[in-house]
Every structure is written in structure tokens, then in C-alpha cells.
Amino acid sequence: MRNDHEAVVVEQHVHRDDVGARMGMWLFLFTEVLLFGGMFLVYAVYRYQHTNDFRLAAMELNTGIGTLNTIILLTSSLTVALAIAAIQKKNKFLSILLLSVTILFAFMFMVNKYFEWSAKFEHGIYPGSEELLNRSNGQILFFGLYYVMTGLHGLHVIIGVVILLFILVFIIRDKVTFDNYVKLENAGLYWHLVDLIWIFLFPLFYLIQ
Amino acid sequence: MQHENPKHKHHHPGYGTYILVWLALLAFTSITVTIAGVNLGRYTLFVALLIAAIKSSLVVNIFMHIKFEEKIFKVFLALSGMTLVVIFALTFFDFIYR
């Protein structure tokens, strides 16, 4: 009996450092913050320099679609946070469901983005277009920043979807369980960062009056 | 199997807390959209950024669990935040007084 008990104890001793894993993820997120921070800095200086042009150009963006995408991303942040709570409560099915909903929201976001960008392209507003180059410098800069910053953000959404899909498979195959879910936590952290960046992009591009 | 892993002992909020935070985030979003239509002059940008900052602190503290993490996480976060603030301040100092 005693030997059996000891065997169980040895088996329980896993070589894993979840705090370290999360800290590594946070350090990576800080580099992401600095990457976007640099772009927000460029935005801030040019907006200061071309206040009126930025206002004129921003009025052409679709506030409705921007608001809808904000709601979609905030809700997807909720579902990924709930997916972690579900796996902690040993509810594998609910966790899989919530993670799938998160991925669905991400696709909805990208579909909206596609329609938004297509509409701009149809109006002849894209980097280097004749229509845009005939405008003032401030407006050219605004749309340049709009495409680069929402584009890089969109790229992060796509990377986030790939990561969340991997985690979904891990949960289904019991590689991520109620006792070992740091991979889900870290994927969630990445997804929340995507949401965080959008929280700032939204008022700075869509809500200038 | 009943032994919980001690590394995950730090407590996390339940479903209810997350849903409350989500409702607050939606409320702040509708506030910021509504306020954008009101002419506040030079305070417009300040108010928009203030609401964005409140929303981020909700996401970082509750959704990203920073409130429940060890202290060193908060130190790192403050350090990277301060770095960003310093970079912005120095750039504008240079730009405005050039």
C-alpha cells in the first residue's frame, strides 16, 4: 500500500512551470505593445500636425461597421475568458463550445473587415491610388496609417485564429485539461491583446468628429 | 486525479464576473460612440482616450487575470507602460519645441 501511495506521489510531480510560461507570454506581449506603440506614436505626431485633414478623412470611415467589429471583438474576448473558466470547472464540452464561438467571432470580424476595405477600394481609396494622391498630405497619411495599422491588427486576428484552432484540437485530444491548461491561458492572453489594440484603434480612426 | 495541481492554486473569477465585465465594456463602447457625436472641442480626444484606458484596464485586470497574478507581473506591466509613456513624452517634447 505504502509503495503504491509513493508511486502516485511521484507521478503527480510534473516538471512544469505554469507561472513561467505565462510570464514568457507576457514578455512577448510587451514586444507587441511596443510594435503597435511605435505606430500609435507616428499616428499621434501626424494627427497633431494635420488635425483637420485627419478629421476630414476619418469622417469617410464607416462608424457603424467599426462599432460592430468592436462589439464582436469584446464578445470574443468574453468567450475565450469563459472557455478558461469552463476548463477549470472540468467542463470540457463547454470549453470546446466557447472556444469555437470565439473562432466564429474572429471570422465575423474578418468578413466585416473585408467588406469595409472593399468599399474603400471601390471608392478609389487605397495606398498609391490616383484619388488618394490628389488629396492633401494629411489625408494621404491618415489612410496610409489606417491601412497599415488595421492591416497589421487584422494579421494578428488571423494568427490568433490559427493559435485558437490548435488549442481547440489540444482540448479535444485531452492535451489541454482542467489540470494543465496554460496553453489555453496563453492563447487567451494573445487574443485579449488583439482586443486591447482594437480598443485604441477604434476611437482613434472611426470616432474623430 | 483528484489532486489539483498546486501551480494553479491562484483563484480565478467565475462566469458571472466575466459577464459583468463584458457588460461594462459594452456600456463604455456605447458611451464612447455617443460622446463622439457631441462636440467637446479639445476634450474630445482626451475623453475618447480616457474611456479606452478604462476599457483596457478592465480587460487586462480581469480577462487577462493580472489582478490575480503574482506581483512581478504587475511590475513588468507598469515598466512597459512607463516605457511607452516616456517614448511618447520625449517625442512630443522634441516635436513641439523643435
Side-chain angles (χ1 to χ4, degrees):
Chain A
M1 276 302 282
R2 189 173 165 76
N3 276 345
D4 276 357
H5 180 71
E6 268 172 7
V8 168
V9 168
V10 168
E11 207 179 52
Q12 291 285 323
H13 185 80
V14 272
H15 286 278
R16 217 176 73 210
D17 185 357
D18 288 349
V19 176
R22 286 199 303 275
M23 190 175 288
M25 191 65 202
W26 272 101
L27 288 176
F28 167 67
L29 294 188
F30 295 147
T31 70
E32 291 273 71
V33 167
L34 284 177
L35 168 69
F36 277 94
M39 291 186 171
F40 279 112
L41 182 65
V42 174
Y43 172 95
V45 169
Y46 282 137
R47 179 166 171 175
Y48 181 82
Q49 211 172 17
H50 305 275
T51 310
N52 207 36
D53 282 339
F54 267 48
R55 196 177 55 81
L56 281 175
M59 296 224 279
E60 285 178 59
L61 294 189
N62 191 332
T63 310
I65 224 168
T67 310
L68 182 65
N69 265 350
T70 304
I71 295 168
I72 288 172
L73 269 196
L74 288 176
T75 312
S76 74
S77 249
L78 169 73
T79 52
V80 82
L82 289 176
I84 297 170
I87 203 113
Q88 285 170 336
K89 294 182 199 303
K90 304 181 188 178
N91 195 338
K92 180 181 165 183
F93 173 76
L94 186 61
S95 188
I96 290 172
L97 186 73
L98 287 164
L99 207 56
S100 309
V101 171
T102 310
I103 294 164
L104 195 72
F105 278 129
F107 275 109
M108 282 165 67
F109 180 91
M110 289 314 287
V111 167
N112 283 338
K113 195 97 257 171
Y114 167 77
F115 283 120
E116 188 194 340
W117 277 28
S118 304
K120 284 277 154 301
F121 274 59
E122 267 171 40
H123 289 109
I125 300 170
Y126 51 89
S129 74
E130 212 178 320
E131 156 78 19
L132 194 57
L133 289 180
N134 282 328
R135 297 192 182 191
S136 61
N137 278 343
Q139 292 203 38
I140 296 172
L141 284 167
F142 177 86
F143 280 109
L145 284 166
Y146 162 74
Y147 277 113
V148 170
M149 291 177 81
T150 63
L152 189 67
H153 177 265
L155 186 67
H156 278 75
V157 172
I158 293 167
I159 295 167
V161 167
V162 174
I163 293 170
L164 291 175
L165 277 171
F166 267 99
I167 304 299
L168 190 63
V169 173
F170 285 153
I171 298 177
I172 291 168
R173 291 187 182 167
D174 284 325
K175 298 268 191 255
V176 169
T177 60
F178 78 95
D179 200 27
N180 181 9
Y181 54 84
V182 72
K183 287 190 187 76
L184 173 61
E185 276 188 305
N186 280 350
L189 284 177
Y190 186 83
W191 193 250
H192 293 308
L193 178 90
V194 170
D195 186 26
L196 267 183
I197 292 162
W198 185 260
I199 285 175
F200 284 93
L201 286 178
F202 173 58
L204 290 177
F205 281 98
Y206 295 84
L207 296 180
I208 316 178
Q209 296 291 325
Chain B
M1 281 303 285
Q2 283 305 309
H3 296 272
E4 294 278 339
N5 191 309
K7 279 162 190 150
H8 266 301
K9 253 197 332 211
H10 64 281
H11 89 107
H12 280 254
Y15 302 127
T17 314
Y18 290 129
I19 290 168
L20 278 179
V21 167
W22 172 67
L23 288 174
L25 288 170
L26 290 185
F28 278 118
T29 303
S30 60
I31 291 171
T32 195
V33 172
T34 313
I35 280 184
V38 184
N39 191 4
L40 295 173
R42 56 188 307 188
Y43 296 108
T44 315
L45 179 64
F46 174 74
V47 172
L49 286 178
L50 182 71
I51 292 174
I54 296 170
K55 284 168 81 179
S56 334
S57 83
L58 280 173
V59 171
V60 169
N61 275 305
I62 312 294
F63 281 177
M64 298 173 95
H65 302 145
I66 271 294
K67 201 177 159 193
F68 316 103
E69 288 285 8
E70 288 169 25
K71 201 181 171 192
I72 187 73
F73 283 76
K74 291 160 202 176
V75 173
F76 279 177
L77 188 67
L79 217 64
S80 79
M82 286 307 292
T83 308
L84 216 54
V85 169
V86 167
I87 291 171
F88 268 76
L90 287 179
T91 306
F92 268 91
F93 193 75
D94 171 44
F95 183 70
I96 293 168
Y97 297 103
R98 188 171 277 235

